Amino acid sequence: MVDFSVLSAILKCLDTYMIKQGKKEINDIEANCELARVGLLTDSLPNPGKPLRELLVKLRDSNHLPQNIHQKYGAWYIKISSCIAKLPLVNQFQYC
């Protein structure tokens, strides 16, 4: 089971990192490197990014993966969470 307070701290840390770097999306290796630097998640030297990938697989399998994290062709990508729309901006049927 994943502790959601730890997940919240991880996402907040990664958002802060992306804002400082001026990026909108990072991969799992860069994310795990930053989390190891801060001290939230240790990194594996022979397999960089492996601890974060294992955490994301657990979240995906339990259907708790946040919207700003997706997997494409085996690689994980994390978008800044402020870029994710919470509600539709335009209701296309409002004038019908």
Side-chain angles (χ1 to χ4, degrees):
M1 189 69 190
V2 177
D3 186 13
F4 291 106
S5 62
V6 173
L7 179 63
S8 176
I10 287 173
L11 292 176
K12 187 174 181 179
C13 174
L14 293 176
D15 283 347
T16 305
Y17 171 75
M18 286 187 270
I19 289 170
K20 284 183 183 177
Q21 296 296 321
K23 297 181 177 183
K24 292 188 178 191
E25 185 176 65
I26 58 175
N27 62 7
D28 52 353
I29 297 172
E30 185 177 0
N32 205 153
C33 181
E34 176 60 20
L35 293 172
R37 188 187 69 78
V38 174
L40 287 174
L41 191 64
T42 59
D43 201 3
S44 172
L45 292 177
N47 298 320
K50 185 176 181 180
L52 181 61
R53 284 192 296 271
E54 290 174 349
L55 175 68
L56 295 176
V57 167
K58 286 180 189 176
L59 289 170
R60 182 196 61 200
D61 292 346
S62 65
N63 203 20
H64 288 104
L65 192 66
Q67 284 184 334
N68 62 324
I69 301 173
H70 65 279
Q71 187 178 20
K72 187 174 182 180
Y73 302 116
W76 289 94
Y77 296 97
I78 303 164
K79 290 184 180 180
I80 191 166
S81 60
S82 62
C83 293
I84 304 298
K86 304 296 183 203
L87 296 171
L89 298 177
V90 176
N91 185 356
Q92 62 182 348
F93 301 111
Q94 67 184 352
Y95 299 111
C96 293

